[in-house]
Amino acid sequence: LAPSVMDIGQRFVLWVRSHCCHDKSSADIETKPKAKGKDIVVLKNDHVDAPKRPLPPLPPRDMYVALYDYTARTADDLSFRAGDRLEALNKTGPWWFARALTGISANKEGFVPANYVAQEESLYAEPWYFQDTKRVDAEKMLLSEGNETGAFLIRQCESQKGELSLSVLDNGKVKHYKVRKLDNGGYYVSTAKSFLTLKELVQYYSENNHGLCVQLGEPCKKLEAPQTHGLSYNTVDHWEISRSSIKLLKKLGTGQFGEVYEGLWNGTTPVAVKTLRCGNMDPNDFLREAQIMKKLRHSKLIQLYAVCTLDEPIYIITELMKNGSLLEYLQKDKGKELQFHDQVEMAAQVAAGMAYLEQQNYIHRDLAARNVLVGENNICKVADFGLARVFKVDNENVYEAKEGSKFPVKWTAPEAINANKFSIKSDVWSFGILMYEIITFGQMPYPTMSNYQVIQVLPSGYRMSCPANCPTVFYNIMMDCWKENDFDRPTFETLQWKLEDYFDLDVTSYADTNRIP
Ligand code: AMP
């Protein structure tokens, strides 16, 4: 082997690998792992003459960095830890085919969830850049365990596209600063000093506070990894999965449609399994609805992963939520620990999930605390959307209003009870009742009245009075949801921002940057 070939170094070795390995039998090529810090490819005589012409420039490698830890769920995907480097080989769909370059899967190839990685050197790969993060979520993350004074993040606000904010933890309080953009592309927090990139801005304020409340310290810890798109790369299109891949572990509860279990998919992945009694539904109706439901994806909606419909009982496989239904959560000890701030934030999360359904022109039809699930850190997600349309429900207490009609009467808008007129606006009515459940820690609405009495009094304008310890502003939002004319009720989009901005309704809540020299 000519020494010059050996000296060409790693770029040439990579060229050899990608351009020769595929053409020539692997038996022709041996790779020695390391010599003087470089890989050396040893070619047999008949291939040494390969690079006669100047080598074409290498295509840039498509390098990514893992943002979260991920544990492989099938033999075809890769486990990795946040910070590991991966080369994307095929970026089709929500699961990419990649080669791990570092970490526990180094040198292995397999599938990775695309939303767990960010392009190397890009802003998205910075550990302090929290893309679509709202102010409430930023505060929640910074105030959670593991962050110390100086912990910070820069976020791009979901509701105000293009707006950047710097959120910093200062002795148990979160302060927010607007990061403004210059016309020529630079950034500044104070007009006194601007930077070409956000990275430079962060570097500058990490060395000295320069007028910020504190010097920037560690990037904020991320609370939870996002949901993957389906269970794995091969369930994205194969919605029906084998029943034998699901192991039922523990019964979590009995709902209006059947039993719910904690389960394990493929021996690796915790899931919730809803078993459905077919007696009270037409399986075809269910499948039709499930086709729509599986397309609805939002961080505040329970994700439907897969179904087993070939035998009975039908299984619906969804993401597992550690703390069960919001109703039970509110009623148990955990609920008593909640502060008003947490209650508003939980209502805001439900409104966010519902605002997504509103945008998708989808109606829930059974919004109530029993159909919202709670994960860690009070994370709430809306569940069971659309199922009420498919099932003839049979929980007499909640659903039977009068003979022949089965509704969750105390949650249902008058026009839906009387004229079967379900719309996103009847969901808004139900949301007002859900706010009542949140603020009363899971009390039954209209506690002293029967379903029948409720139906009787609503048309004359009767509404629940303001619960004890419920601030008027919060109660007024509930009352808006119960306007007689459905067009007068707010949209979920409005409810979402009203609740998200409940404590900070104007920009003056931003820390004062005029004082920054
Ligand atoms: P449901 O049929 O939705 O009313 O569910 C019955 C009970 O099972 C609920 O009250 C929850 O406690 C529990 N449950 C339902 N779905 C899940 C889930 N995805 N994760 C955890 N627990 C669940």
Side-chain angles (χ1 to χ4, degrees):
L1 182 70
S4 59
V5 174
M6 288 171 68
D7 284 343
I8 289 173
Q10 211 172 6
R11 273 176 70 81
F12 175 67
V13 170
L14 289 169
W15 185 89
V16 171
R17 279 187 186 154
S18 57
H19 294 265
C20 295
C21 290
H22 300 305
D23 299 334
K24 301 176 191 307
S25 117
S26 56
D28 293 348
I29 300 173
E30 293 166 31
T31 309
K32 279 195 189 162
K34 267 214 161 86
K36 287 189 190 165
K38 287 173 185 166
D39 280 1
I40 296 172
V41 170
V42 182
L43 299 173
K44 287 197 178 163
N45 277 346
D46 49 339
H47 304 313
V48 168
D49 60 350
K52 271 181 188 151
R53 283 170 282 122
L55 293 175
L58 273 174
R61 298 175 79 189
D62 207 2
M63 297 303 306
Y64 283 77
V65 179
L67 300 175
Y68 310 91
D69 296 352
Y70 175 77
T71 306
R73 298 171 181 175
T74 71
D76 300 327
D77 52 359
L78 296 178
S79 294
F80 51 79
R81 298 274 164 270
D84 281 350
R85 299 178 72 223
L86 299 139
E87 181 180 5
L89 303 174
N90 184 343
K91 296 199 289 185
T92 318
W95 291 80
W96 293 352
F97 195 69
R99 178 187 300 130
L101 300 185
T102 59
I104 36 180
S105 300
N107 300 321
K108 288 192 194 139
E109 290 180 4
F111 288 91
V112 298
N115 55 339
Y116 275 51
V117 297
Q119 195 142 39
E120 204 171 56
E121 304 291 332
S122 73
L123 186 56
Y124 304 101
E126 295 293 350
W128 40 259
Y129 187 67
F130 285 48
Q131 205 183 350
D132 293 333
T133 300
K134 295 187 198 90
R135 184 191 179 99
V136 267
D137 294 329
E139 291 183 357
K140 183 174 172 161
M141 286 190 263
L142 283 163
L143 289 169
S144 65
E145 238 173 272
N147 289 312
E148 289 174 8
T149 286
F152 72 101
L153 58 89
I154 292 185
R155 60 196 164 87
Q156 190 168 39
C157 190
E158 205 174 41
S159 49
Q160 297 161 290
K161 279 276 174 250
E163 293 273 315
L164 290 169
S165 299
L166 166 67
S167 305
V168 193
L169 181 65
D170 177 14
N171 289 308
K173 289 226 160 88
V174 178
K175 305 234 166 85
H176 305 273
Y177 297 88
K178 285 242 178 256
V179 180
R180 303 192 189 271
K181 279 187 202 156
L182 291 164
D183 291 342
N184 64 9
Y187 299 90
Y188 67 93
V189 176
S190 149
T191 41
K193 179 89 184 141
S194 63
F195 307 89
L196 275 180
T197 63
L198 284 177
K199 202 171 173 166
E200 286 172 26
L201 184 148
V202 166
Q203 181 70 34
Y204 180 79
Y205 288 106
S206 301
E207 284 158 9
N208 186 309
N209 69 350
H210 299 285
L212 286 189
C213 55
V214 286
Q215 183 176 339
L216 300 184
E218 289 292 312
C220 177
K221 304 260 180 302
K222 293 200 163 104
L223 274 188
E224 57 154 21
Q227 280 300 307
T228 56
H229 194 106
L231 279 167
S232 78
Y233 74 97
N234 62 1
T235 62
V236 173
D237 298 322
H238 299 101
W239 170 242
E240 178 82 36
I241 58 168
S242 140
R243 196 169 288 253
S244 62
S245 66
I246 295 285
K247 194 169 168 209
L248 301 183
L249 298 180
K250 170 172 111 186
K251 188 165 152 184
L252 293 173
T254 306
Q256 67 225 36
F257 311 125
E259 281 151 359
V260 181
Y261 294 86
E262 180 180 339
L264 201 62
W265 174 74
N266 211 26
T268 56
T269 313
V271 288
V273 183
K274 208 162 225 203
T275 64
L276 300 178
R277 291 180 242 116
C278 290
N280 47 15
M281 63 139 183
D282 176 347
N284 290 325
D285 282 352
F286 166 70
L287 276 179
R288 216 171 302 121
E289 198 65 27
Q291 287 300 336
I292 306 171
M293 293 190 303
K294 79 167 181 179
K295 294 200 179 91
L296 299 169
R297 279 174 201 283
H298 188 270
S299 59
K300 301 299 174 200
L301 290 189
I302 288 289
Q303 190 186 155
L304 248 70
Y305 282 144
V307 291
C308 304
T309 61
L310 303 183
D311 296 299
E312 284 202 26
I314 283 179
Y315 284 180
I316 303 184
I317 321 294
T318 69
E319 64 179 288
L320 181 69
M321 296 291 278
K322 195 174 162 260
N323 287 310
S325 87
L326 174 60
L327 183 61
E328 290 155 339
Y329 190 72
L330 290 165
Q331 290 171 342
K332 284 189 194 149
D333 299 346
K334 286 258 175 55
K336 299 287 173 289
E337 287 166 18
L338 297 175
Q339 312 271 319
F340 178 59
H341 190 278
D342 302 313
Q343 291 169 303
V344 172
E345 199 217 310
M346 294 174 107
Q349 293 184 63
V350 177
M354 289 304 301
Y356 170 80
L357 289 186
E358 177 176 76
Q359 199 189 38
Q360 302 293 312
N361 294 318
Y362 197 83
I363 307 169
H364 189 297
R365 290 169 174 255
D366 195 5
L367 183 59
R370 62 183 171 276
N371 286 332
V372 171
L373 293 165
V374 186
E376 299 219 57
N377 299 302
N378 297 337
I379 285 175
C380 291
K381 300 194 184 192
V382 178
D384 288 345
F385 33 95
L387 281 187
R389 198 160 80 139
V390 182
F391 291 88
K392 299 180 201 83
V393 288
D394 62 358
N395 179 335
E396 306 270 308
N397 270 342
V398 176
Y399 291 91
E400 183 96 41
K402 48 191 177 191
E403 233 180 306
S405 71
K406 292 191 173 187
F407 294 124
V409 176
K410 291 184 175 180
W411 283 260
T412 307
E415 74 277 7
I417 297 179
N418 298 323
N420 208 23
K421 191 180 162 203
F422 283 90
S423 67
I424 196 70
K425 293 298 185 189
S426 55
D427 281 347
V428 169
W429 178 288
S430 311
F431 181 76
I433 306 287
L434 189 149
M435 285 178 70
Y436 174 91
E437 292 181 279
I438 291 180
I439 206 70
T440 60
F441 296 101
Q443 251 185 39
M444 173 61 90
Y446 312 92
T448 57
M449 297 167 94
S450 69
N451 284 346
Y452 183 72
Q453 284 171 320
V454 172
I455 294 178
Q456 296 295 306
V457 297
L458 288 181
S460 60
Y462 174 86
R463 299 293 183 265
M464 277 189 280
S465 54
C466 186
N469 302 324
C470 173
T472 315
V473 177
F474 194 83
Y475 178 63
N476 287 344
I477 302 178
M478 284 153 62
M479 287 294 277
D480 281 348
C481 298
W482 301 332
K483 293 249 169 83
E484 169 134 23
N485 185 346
D486 56 359
F487 287 107
D488 293 337
R489 296 173 204 155
T491 59
F492 278 110
E493 190 192 2
T494 301
L495 288 165
Q496 181 187 349
W497 74 252
K498 275 197 173 176
L499 289 161
E500 282 174 355
D501 295 351
Y502 192 93
F503 299 102
D504 308 285
L505 277 173
D506 63 10
V507 288
T508 54
S509 61
Y510 279 87
D512 183 10
T513 53
N514 293 332
R515 287 181 300 106
I516 298 180

mmCIF file of all heavy atoms in Angstrom, residues 74-108:
data_model
loop_
_atom_site.group_PDB
_atom_site.id
_atom_site.type_symbol
_atom_site.label_atom_id
_atom_site.label_comp_id
_atom_site.label_asym_id
_atom_site.label_seq_id
_atom_site.Cartn_x
_atom_site.Cartn_y
_atom_site.Cartn_z
ATOM 1 N N THR A 74 -37.423 -2.103 19.286
ATOM 2 C CA THR A 74 -37.407 -3.285 18.424
ATOM 3 C C THR A 74 -35.945 -3.578 18.097
ATOM 4 O O THR A 74 -35.060 -2.770 18.404
ATOM 5 C CB THR A 74 -38.150 -3.030 17.085
ATOM 6 O OG1 THR A 74 -37.353 -2.130 16.304
ATOM 7 C CG2 THR A 74 -39.521 -2.425 17.292
ATOM 8 N N ALA A 75 -35.733 -4.713 17.447
ATOM 9 C CA ALA A 75 -34.357 -5.076 17.086
ATOM 10 C C ALA A 75 -33.821 -4.154 15.995
ATOM 11 O O ALA A 75 -32.622 -4.117 15.738
ATOM 12 C CB ALA A 75 -34.324 -6.517 16.603
ATOM 13 N N ASP A 76 -34.713 -3.380 15.353
ATOM 14 C CA ASP A 76 -34.298 -2.550 14.216
ATOM 15 C C ASP A 76 -34.049 -1.101 14.566
ATOM 16 O O ASP A 76 -33.760 -0.288 13.699
ATOM 17 C CB ASP A 76 -35.370 -2.593 13.118
ATOM 18 C CG ASP A 76 -35.587 -4.000 12.622
ATOM 19 O OD1 ASP A 76 -34.614 -4.762 12.614
ATOM 20 O OD2 ASP A 76 -36.733 -4.330 12.271
ATOM 21 N N ASP A 77 -34.251 -0.720 15.816
ATOM 22 C CA ASP A 77 -33.958 0.683 16.125
ATOM 23 C C ASP A 77 -32.782 0.812 17.090
ATOM 24 O O ASP A 77 -32.316 -0.174 17.660
ATOM 25 C CB ASP A 77 -35.200 1.488 16.545
ATOM 26 C CG ASP A 77 -36.003 0.849 17.643
ATOM 27 O OD1 ASP A 77 -35.616 -0.229 18.083
ATOM 28 O OD2 ASP A 77 -37.006 1.437 18.056
ATOM 29 N N LEU A 78 -32.318 2.050 17.234
ATOM 30 C CA LEU A 78 -31.084 2.313 17.981
ATOM 31 C C LEU A 78 -31.387 2.948 19.340
ATOM 32 O O LEU A 78 -32.219 3.838 19.415
ATOM 33 C CB LEU A 78 -30.210 3.309 17.207
ATOM 34 C CG LEU A 78 -29.664 2.912 15.859
ATOM 35 C CD1 LEU A 78 -28.874 4.085 15.264
ATOM 36 C CD2 LEU A 78 -28.749 1.695 16.001
ATOM 37 N N SER A 79 -30.668 2.499 20.360
ATOM 38 C CA SER A 79 -30.734 3.203 21.647
ATOM 39 C C SER A 79 -29.697 4.310 21.615
ATOM 40 O O SER A 79 -28.619 4.141 21.041
ATOM 41 C CB SER A 79 -30.357 2.256 22.792
ATOM 42 O OG SER A 79 -31.302 1.238 22.919
ATOM 43 N N PHE A 80 -30.012 5.441 22.220
ATOM 44 C CA PHE A 80 -29.001 6.503 22.317
ATOM 45 C C PHE A 80 -29.291 7.383 23.522
ATOM 46 O O PHE A 80 -30.366 7.284 24.137
ATOM 47 C CB PHE A 80 -28.941 7.333 21.028
ATOM 48 C CG PHE A 80 -30.269 7.853 20.548
ATOM 49 C CD1 PHE A 80 -30.839 8.974 21.124
ATOM 50 C CD2 PHE A 80 -30.963 7.215 19.513
ATOM 51 C CE1 PHE A 80 -32.055 9.460 20.687
ATOM 52 C CE2 PHE A 80 -32.194 7.690 19.073
ATOM 53 C CZ PHE A 80 -32.736 8.820 19.667
ATOM 54 N N ARG A 81 -28.303 8.204 23.855
ATOM 55 C CA ARG A 81 -28.444 9.138 24.975
ATOM 56 C C ARG A 81 -28.363 10.556 24.426
ATOM 57 O O ARG A 81 -27.715 10.783 23.397
ATOM 58 C CB ARG A 81 -27.305 8.953 25.990
ATOM 59 C CG ARG A 81 -27.273 7.596 26.635
ATOM 60 C CD ARG A 81 -28.183 7.545 27.865
ATOM 61 N NE ARG A 81 -28.452 6.183 28.278
ATOM 62 C CZ ARG A 81 -29.479 5.435 27.844
ATOM 63 N NH1 ARG A 81 -30.348 5.912 26.977
ATOM 64 N NH2 ARG A 81 -29.660 4.205 28.271
ATOM 65 N N ALA A 82 -28.969 11.504 25.131
ATOM 66 C CA ALA A 82 -28.895 12.909 24.707
ATOM 67 C C ALA A 82 -27.432 13.289 24.528
ATOM 68 O O ALA A 82 -26.591 12.951 25.359
ATOM 69 C CB ALA A 82 -29.543 13.798 25.768
ATOM 70 N N GLY A 83 -27.131 13.927 23.414
ATOM 71 C CA GLY A 83 -25.758 14.357 23.141
ATOM 72 C C GLY A 83 -25.034 13.416 22.184
ATOM 73 O O GLY A 83 -24.014 13.798 21.608
ATOM 74 N N ASP A 84 -25.526 12.193 21.997
ATOM 75 C CA ASP A 84 -24.878 11.271 21.056
ATOM 76 C C ASP A 84 -24.983 11.823 19.629
ATOM 77 O O ASP A 84 -25.941 12.521 19.282
ATOM 78 C CB ASP A 84 -25.552 9.884 21.097
ATOM 79 C CG ASP A 84 -25.087 9.083 22.306
ATOM 80 O OD1 ASP A 84 -24.125 9.525 22.971
ATOM 81 O OD2 ASP A 84 -25.707 8.041 22.589
ATOM 82 N N ARG A 85 -23.987 11.470 18.797
ATOM 83 C CA ARG A 85 -23.977 11.929 17.400
ATOM 84 C C ARG A 85 -24.465 10.823 16.480
ATOM 85 O O ARG A 85 -24.113 9.648 16.662
ATOM 86 C CB ARG A 85 -22.563 12.351 16.991
ATOM 87 C CG ARG A 85 -22.038 13.495 17.814
ATOM 88 C CD ARG A 85 -20.632 13.843 17.420
ATOM 89 N NE ARG A 85 -20.573 14.506 16.126
ATOM 90 C CZ ARG A 85 -19.679 14.223 15.193
ATOM 91 N NH1 ARG A 85 -18.783 13.274 15.392
ATOM 92 N NH2 ARG A 85 -19.674 14.869 14.050
ATOM 93 N N LEU A 86 -25.254 11.202 15.510
ATOM 94 C CA LEU A 86 -25.824 10.233 14.570
ATOM 95 C C LEU A 86 -25.716 10.785 13.163
ATOM 96 O O LEU A 86 -25.855 11.992 12.957
ATOM 97 C CB LEU A 86 -27.313 10.011 14.878
ATOM 98 C CG LEU A 86 -27.644 9.456 16.264
ATOM 99 C CD1 LEU A 86 -28.863 10.151 16.839
ATOM 100 C CD2 LEU A 86 -27.890 7.966 16.182
ATOM 101 N N GLU A 87 -25.476 9.901 12.207
ATOM 102 C CA GLU A 87 -25.488 10.330 10.809
ATOM 103 C C GLU A 87 -26.793 9.832 10.177
ATOM 104 O O GLU A 87 -27.083 8.629 10.201
ATOM 105 C CB GLU A 87 -24.293 9.716 10.060
ATOM 106 C CG GLU A 87 -24.273 10.162 8.611
ATOM 107 C CD GLU A 87 -23.094 9.567 7.843
ATOM 108 O OE1 GLU A 87 -22.348 8.743 8.415
ATOM 109 O OE2 GLU A 87 -22.939 9.926 6.661
ATOM 110 N N ALA A 88 -27.572 10.766 9.634
ATOM 111 C CA ALA A 88 -28.841 10.375 9.013
ATOM 112 C C ALA A 88 -28.555 9.754 7.652
ATOM 113 O O ALA A 88 -27.850 10.346 6.835
ATOM 114 C CB ALA A 88 -29.743 11.583 8.871
ATOM 115 N N LEU A 89 -29.074 8.576 7.393
ATOM 116 C CA LEU A 89 -28.837 7.897 6.119
ATOM 117 C C LEU A 89 -30.077 7.941 5.229
ATOM 118 O O LEU A 89 -29.979 7.940 4.016
ATOM 119 C CB LEU A 89 -28.418 6.447 6.369
ATOM 120 C CG LEU A 89 -27.164 6.272 7.257
ATOM 121 C CD1 LEU A 89 -26.918 4.812 7.567
ATOM 122 C CD2 LEU A 89 -25.945 6.885 6.603
ATOM 123 N N ASN A 90 -31.243 7.934 5.858
ATOM 124 C CA ASN A 90 -32.486 8.055 5.081
ATOM 125 C C ASN A 90 -33.513 8.785 5.944
ATOM 126 O O ASN A 90 -33.907 8.290 6.995
ATOM 127 C CB ASN A 90 -32.985 6.657 4.687
ATOM 128 C CG ASN A 90 -34.211 6.749 3.794
ATOM 129 O OD1 ASN A 90 -34.869 7.797 3.725
ATOM 130 N ND2 ASN A 90 -34.526 5.663 3.106
ATOM 131 N N LYS A 91 -33.931 9.961 5.445
ATOM 132 C CA LYS A 91 -34.783 10.790 6.290
ATOM 133 C C LYS A 91 -36.234 10.786 5.808
ATOM 134 O O LYS A 91 -36.881 11.811 5.767
ATOM 135 C CB LYS A 91 -34.240 12.218 6.308
ATOM 136 C CG LYS A 91 -32.867 12.313 6.928
ATOM 137 C CD LYS A 91 -32.526 13.708 7.367
ATOM 138 C CE LYS A 91 -32.277 14.629 6.209
ATOM 139 N NZ LYS A 91 -31.833 15.954 6.637
ATOM 140 N N THR A 92 -36.727 9.621 5.467
ATOM 141 C CA THR A 92 -38.115 9.549 5.006
ATOM 142 C C THR A 92 -39.023 9.277 6.198
ATOM 143 O O THR A 92 -38.748 8.359 6.965
ATOM 144 C CB THR A 92 -38.286 8.397 3.999
ATOM 145 O OG1 THR A 92 -37.163 8.413 3.128
ATOM 146 C CG2 THR A 92 -39.567 8.527 3.209
ATOM 147 N N GLY A 93 -40.102 10.056 6.332
ATOM 148 C CA GLY A 93 -41.100 9.786 7.365
ATOM 149 C C GLY A 93 -40.655 10.183 8.760
ATOM 150 O O GLY A 93 -39.606 10.800 8.944
ATOM 151 N N PRO A 94 -41.462 9.826 9.769
ATOM 152 C CA PRO A 94 -41.169 10.250 11.139
ATOM 153 C C PRO A 94 -40.097 9.413 11.838
ATOM 154 O O PRO A 94 -39.673 9.745 12.938
ATOM 155 C CB PRO A 94 -42.510 10.092 11.851
ATOM 156 C CG PRO A 94 -43.265 9.096 11.050
ATOM 157 C CD PRO A 94 -42.770 9.156 9.639
ATOM 158 N N TRP A 95 -39.677 8.279 11.226
ATOM 159 C CA TRP A 95 -38.582 7.474 11.773
ATOM 160 C C TRP A 95 -37.483 7.450 10.732
ATOM 161 O O TRP A 95 -37.717 7.033 9.602
ATOM 162 C CB TRP A 95 -39.053 6.040 12.076
ATOM 163 C CG TRP A 95 -40.009 5.972 13.225
ATOM 164 C CD1 TRP A 95 -41.341 6.257 13.188
ATOM 165 C CD2 TRP A 95 -39.709 5.628 14.573
ATOM 166 N NE1 TRP A 95 -41.904 6.112 14.435
ATOM 167 C CE2 TRP A 95 -40.923 5.717 15.306
ATOM 168 C CE3 TRP A 95 -38.546 5.239 15.250
ATOM 169 C CZ2 TRP A 95 -41.006 5.436 16.672
ATOM 170 C CZ3 TRP A 95 -38.626 4.959 16.611
ATOM 171 C CH2 TRP A 95 -39.842 5.063 17.305
ATOM 172 N N TRP A 96 -36.298 7.922 11.083
ATOM 173 C CA TRP A 96 -35.203 7.978 10.124
ATOM 174 C C TRP A 96 -34.273 6.791 10.314
ATOM 175 O O TRP A 96 -34.129 6.273 11.427
ATOM 176 C CB TRP A 96 -34.384 9.252 10.321
ATOM 177 C CG TRP A 96 -35.130 10.500 9.975
ATOM 178 C CD1 TRP A 96 -36.363 10.598 9.380
ATOM 179 C CD2 TRP A 96 -34.693 11.835 10.229
ATOM 180 N NE1 TRP A 96 -36.721 11.912 9.231
ATOM 181 C CE2 TRP A 96 -35.710 12.696 9.742
ATOM 182 C CE3 TRP A 96 -33.550 12.385 10.798
ATOM 183 C CZ2 TRP A 96 -35.615 14.073 9.828
ATOM 184 C CZ3 TRP A 96 -33.448 13.765 10.886
ATOM 185 C CH2 TRP A 96 -34.473 14.595 10.401
ATOM 186 N N PHE A 97 -33.616 6.427 9.214
ATOM 187 C CA PHE A 97 -32.600 5.389 9.295
ATOM 188 C C PHE A 97 -31.261 6.103 9.495
ATOM 189 O O PHE A 97 -30.932 7.040 8.761
ATOM 190 C CB PHE A 97 -32.591 4.553 8.018
ATOM 191 C CG PHE A 97 -31.828 3.279 8.187
ATOM 192 C CD1 PHE A 97 -32.310 2.269 9.011
ATOM 193 C CD2 PHE A 97 -30.613 3.081 7.550
ATOM 194 C CE1 PHE A 97 -31.606 1.096 9.201
ATOM 195 C CE2 PHE A 97 -29.904 1.912 7.721
ATOM 196 C CZ PHE A 97 -30.404 0.915 8.550
ATOM 197 N N ALA A 98 -30.519 5.689 10.517
ATOM 198 C CA ALA A 98 -29.313 6.451 10.879
ATOM 199 C C ALA A 98 -28.202 5.520 11.346
ATOM 200 O O ALA A 98 -28.435 4.342 11.642
ATOM 201 C CB ALA A 98 -29.651 7.433 11.988
ATOM 202 N N ARG A 99 -26.989 6.072 11.373
ATOM 203 C CA ARG A 99 -25.847 5.345 11.937
ATOM 204 C C ARG A 99 -25.398 6.104 13.192
ATOM 205 O O ARG A 99 -25.204 7.322 13.125
ATOM 206 C CB ARG A 99 -24.703 5.285 10.929
ATOM 207 C CG ARG A 99 -23.468 4.583 11.469
ATOM 208 C CD ARG A 99 -22.308 4.684 10.507
ATOM 209 N NE ARG A 99 -22.635 4.064 9.228
ATOM 210 C CZ ARG A 99 -22.453 4.639 8.050
ATOM 211 N NH1 ARG A 99 -21.942 5.848 7.975
ATOM 212 N NH2 ARG A 99 -22.776 4.016 6.939
ATOM 213 N N ALA A 100 -25.277 5.386 14.301
ATOM 214 C CA ALA A 100 -24.795 6.044 15.525
ATOM 215 C C ALA A 100 -23.282 6.161 15.449
ATOM 216 O O ALA A 100 -22.604 5.209 15.053
ATOM 217 C CB ALA A 100 -25.207 5.238 16.746
ATOM 218 N N LEU A 101 -22.744 7.328 15.775
ATOM 219 C CA LEU A 101 -21.291 7.501 15.743
ATOM 220 C C LEU A 101 -20.688 7.470 17.138
ATOM 221 O O LEU A 101 -19.508 7.202 17.300
ATOM 222 C CB LEU A 101 -20.932 8.820 15.055
ATOM 223 C CG LEU A 101 -21.417 8.938 13.615
ATOM 224 C CD1 LEU A 101 -20.909 10.204 12.979
ATOM 225 C CD2 LEU A 101 -20.988 7.740 12.777
ATOM 226 N N THR A 102 -21.502 7.755 18.129
ATOM 227 C CA THR A 102 -21.002 7.711 19.508
ATOM 228 C C THR A 102 -22.037 6.990 20.366
ATOM 229 O O THR A 102 -23.126 6.687 19.897
ATOM 230 C CB THR A 102 -20.820 9.136 20.069
ATOM 231 O OG1 THR A 102 -22.091 9.795 20.020
ATOM 232 C CG2 THR A 102 -19.791 9.939 19.298
ATOM 233 N N GLY A 103 -21.672 6.733 21.613
ATOM 234 C CA GLY A 103 -22.627 6.185 22.580
ATOM 235 C C GLY A 103 -22.789 4.690 22.508
ATOM 236 O O GLY A 103 -22.019 3.988 21.850
ATOM 237 N N ILE A 104 -23.846 4.204 23.171
ATOM 238 C CA ILE A 104 -24.027 2.767 23.323
ATOM 239 C C ILE A 104 -24.264 2.023 22.014
ATOM 240 O O ILE A 104 -24.039 0.823 21.940
ATOM 241 C CB ILE A 104 -25.198 2.442 24.302
ATOM 242 C CG1 ILE A 104 -26.312 3.473 24.137
ATOM 243 C CG2 ILE A 104 -24.722 2.342 25.731
ATOM 244 C CD1 ILE A 104 -27.487 3.235 25.037
ATOM 245 N N SER A 105 -24.732 2.738 20.995
ATOM 246 C CA SER A 105 -24.968 2.062 19.712
ATOM 247 C C SER A 105 -23.919 2.435 18.669
ATOM 248 O O SER A 105 -24.161 2.267 17.467
ATOM 249 C CB SER A 105 -26.352 2.425 19.170
ATOM 250 O OG SER A 105 -27.343 2.035 20.067
ATOM 251 N N ALA A 106 -22.774 2.960 19.095
ATOM 252 C CA ALA A 106 -21.758 3.444 18.140
ATOM 253 C C ALA A 106 -21.502 2.412 17.053
ATOM 254 O O ALA A 106 -21.373 1.209 17.340
ATOM 255 C CB ALA A 106 -20.470 3.761 18.888
ATOM 256 N N ASN A 107 -21.465 2.885 15.819
ATOM 257 C CA ASN A 107 -21.218 2.079 14.621
ATOM 258 C C ASN A 107 -22.380 1.188 14.209
ATOM 259 O O ASN A 107 -22.267 0.456 13.233
ATOM 260 C CB ASN A 107 -19.960 1.217 14.768
ATOM 261 C CG ASN A 107 -18.751 2.091 14.992
ATOM 262 O OD1 ASN A 107 -18.653 3.150 14.374
ATOM 263 N ND2 ASN A 107 -17.875 1.684 15.889
ATOM 264 N N LYS A 108 -23.492 1.251 14.934
ATOM 265 C CA LYS A 108 -24.652 0.446 14.520
ATOM 266 C C LYS A 108 -25.581 1.317 13.693
ATOM 267 O O LYS A 108 -25.615 2.546 13.845
ATOM 268 C CB LYS A 108 -25.414 -0.060 15.744
ATOM 269 C CG LYS A 108 -24.680 -1.151 16.483
ATOM 270 C CD LYS A 108 -25.614 -1.804 17.479
ATOM 271 C CE LYS A 108 -24.821 -2.637 18.453
ATOM 272 N NZ LYS A 108 -25.283 -2.536 19.811
#
